[in-house]
Amino acid sequence: MNLKVAVLATACLVLAPLAATGAEIRVGIGDIPGLALSQSPLAYILDGDLSLAQAERDLAVRWTNPSLVWEMEEIGSDGETEREWVVALEKEFAMPWSYAKKRSGSNLRLASSRLGWEASRWHLISNMRHGYVNLKFRDLEMELLEIFEEIIGDASRVITDRKEQGTVSGVEKRLIDMSLIAVRSRMVVSRLERREIMDEWKTAMGIPAENTVVLVSELDLSADWLTSVSVGGEGSSDLESRRLAVEALDKDIGLEKGDIFPSLSVAGGYKNVNDEFTGFV
């Protein structure tokens, strides 16, 4: 029994947090929105997605450049050959309403992307806040486990003295020692779990791994932000983003249905026939 206790105690010492080589960062629950949106890699990805949506919209509504056309035709009969070639610039024009619908649909998709970007930022802040609370719960659990360890440790010492005096049996001492082992085992597991959660949280927040984070806010389960974030900005923005995306698809469907008239292509350039006749086409 004593050997098991010694092994667990050694494990606790080995797994204890090492001295940090980086800076110490004090973070409160109110600091999370600013930190997450300014340095989180997830926020950079969201910004990149929005920039991509903007570029796609600009590409969809831009004025297309003319294309270069080159044609050559050669025919022959009884030793005589006729050759004709043309080089020209060609531009395709769609119906005016097609341009309007295409621009409208592209603008709706961009607006949907912006609202989705806003909803995702709210979601990021919400996740970082809940991660903060989870870490505070782990700290609270460790405090309670330390109290239990102290209480059970005192009980173990008392019952050891009584066993030596013959007032209690060895069974009671074994039960107390087993309880002490269970508490210390849970302390090791909880410390490992907190370290893993903290590493993931720091990565998502964009905090360097070598820095030490001190959570300065008290755990308050009655805080309004625990429910207001998902019900407020995040939910409404996400819903509106989806509505605009559906509306953009409706515009695309209307564009396809409305394109019953063919587009018009206009070309102009230089023409040559048998190197004897030249002109414009």
Side-chain angles (χ1 to χ4, degrees), residues 149-160 176:
E149 181 191 28
E150 183 178 357
I151 293 174
I152 298 175
D154 292 341
S156 177
R157 287 188 290 273
V158 170
I159 203 167
T160 298
I176 294 294

Side-chain angles (χ1 to χ4, degrees), residues 163-231:
K163 181 177 180 300
E164 293 176 353
Q165 297 171 4
T167 57
V168 295
S169 65
V171 175
E172 285 129 338
K173 183 179 184 306
R174 288 180 176 274
L175 290 175
I176 294 294
D177 289 342
M178 290 175 62
S179 299
L180 185 60
I181 290 174
V183 170
R184 288 174 174 170
S185 298
R186 181 57 203 171
M187 290 176 68
V188 174
V189 173
S190 182
R191 186 175 289 114
L192 287 172
E193 291 175 346
R194 186 192 186 280
R195 180 180 297 179
E196 181 179 355
I197 295 172
M198 173 60 80
D199 289 342
E200 293 178 354
W201 188 81
K202 287 165 65 176
T203 300
M205 284 286 291
I207 299 175
E210 64 272 12
N211 289 352
T212 301
V213 177
V214 179
L215 309 178
V216 298
S217 296
E218 296 296 329
L219 185 60
D220 183 8
L221 299 181
S222 64
D224 294 336
W225 57 263
L226 284 173
T227 55
S228 62
V229 171
S230 58
V231 177

Side-chain angles (χ1 to χ4, degrees), residues 20-82:
T21 57
E24 180 179 280
I25 301 177
R26 300 177 64 83
V27 180
I29 197 71
D31 302 326
I32 289 179
L35 288 174
L37 298 181
S38 64
Q39 64 186 40
S40 170
L42 301 177
Y44 292 142
I45 293 174
L46 294 177
D47 293 343
D49 290 341
L50 181 60
S51 298
L52 178 60
Q54 177 71 57
E56 290 176 344
R57 181 264 177 193
D58 294 341
L59 181 62
V61 301
R62 72 180 178 87
W63 184 259
T64 57
N65 295 322
S67 57
L68 179 65
V69 179
W70 184 83
E71 296 180 358
M72 192 274 286
E73 182 179 357
E74 183 175 309
I75 58 175
S77 177
D78 297 331
E80 295 184 2
T81 301
E82 299 287 339

